[in-house]
């Protein structure tokens, strides 16, 4: 091994706001004391961060002219939990984009509220 992963960093126009959104989704602690950098930390020490990128041009999923650069995958245990989670992330400001309609498993795609063209 050469190194260990410190954290994943997402460029965005508003680090504090995007960290607050994902902190609410995950229940992780938010540190937004730096206006150009915000960090989320889980109870067991997992981390990811948001870095200010004032001129960031987010992708437009599923537009191939501006393809996604990354996405975040989250799990919920059941389809009923997915329904509840969908309502909760929309209440936090996410925009619903797509439902794969899997009977036992599948995925739903949302844009987060800060980078509206970035699906998670």
């Amino acid at each position: 091994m050469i190194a260990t992963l410190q954290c994943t960093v997402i460029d965005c126009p508003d680090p504090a706001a995007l960290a607050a959104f994902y902190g609410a989704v995950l229940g992780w602690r938010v540190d937004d004391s730096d206006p150009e950098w915000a960090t989320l930390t889980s109870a067991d020490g997992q981390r990811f961060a948001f870095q200010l990128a004032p001129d960031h041009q987010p992708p437009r999923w599923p537009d191939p002219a501006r393809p996604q650069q990354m996405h975040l995958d989250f799990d919920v245990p059941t389809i009923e939990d997915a329904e509840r989670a969908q309502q909760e992330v929309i209440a936090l400001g996410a925009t619903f984009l797509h439902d794969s309609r899997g009977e036992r498993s599948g995925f739903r795609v949302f844009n987060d509220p800060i980078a509206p063209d970035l699906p998670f």
Side-chain angles (χ1 to χ4, degrees):
M1 177 176 74
I2 295 172
T4 59
L5 179 66
Q6 179 195 35
C7 67
T8 299
V9 181
I10 299 171
D11 289 353
C12 64
D14 188 340
L18 199 55
F21 172 78
Y22 284 109
V25 169
L26 294 168
W28 291 12
R29 183 177 52 82
V30 176
D31 176 357
D32 62 359
S33 57
D34 180 339
E36 295 186 5
W37 183 273
T39 304
L40 292 181
T41 306
S42 71
D44 64 354
Q46 296 177 71
R47 295 178 40 184
F48 72 91
F50 303 91
Q51 175 177 273
L52 179 63
D55 297 325
H56 183 254
Q57 295 294 314
R60 289 189 186 125
W61 185 87
D63 181 355
R66 287 192 36 201
Q68 66 186 20
Q69 299 158 1
M70 66 170 291
H71 62 274
L72 303 173
D73 291 348
F74 299 95
D75 283 327
V76 295
T78 68
I79 289 176
E80 292 79 18
D81 292 321
E83 293 294 330
R84 176 192 49 79
Q86 178 169 330
Q87 293 173 4
E88 290 181 15
V89 298
I90 288 171
L92 290 169
T95 303
F96 174 77
L97 296 177
H98 174 75
D99 184 348
S100 70
R101 304 255 184 243
E103 290 183 27
R104 289 183 291 144
S105 67
F107 61 92
R108 295 180 187 186
V109 180
F110 302 85
N111 281 340
D112 64 38
I114 305 307
D117 295 322
L118 177 65
F120 71 93

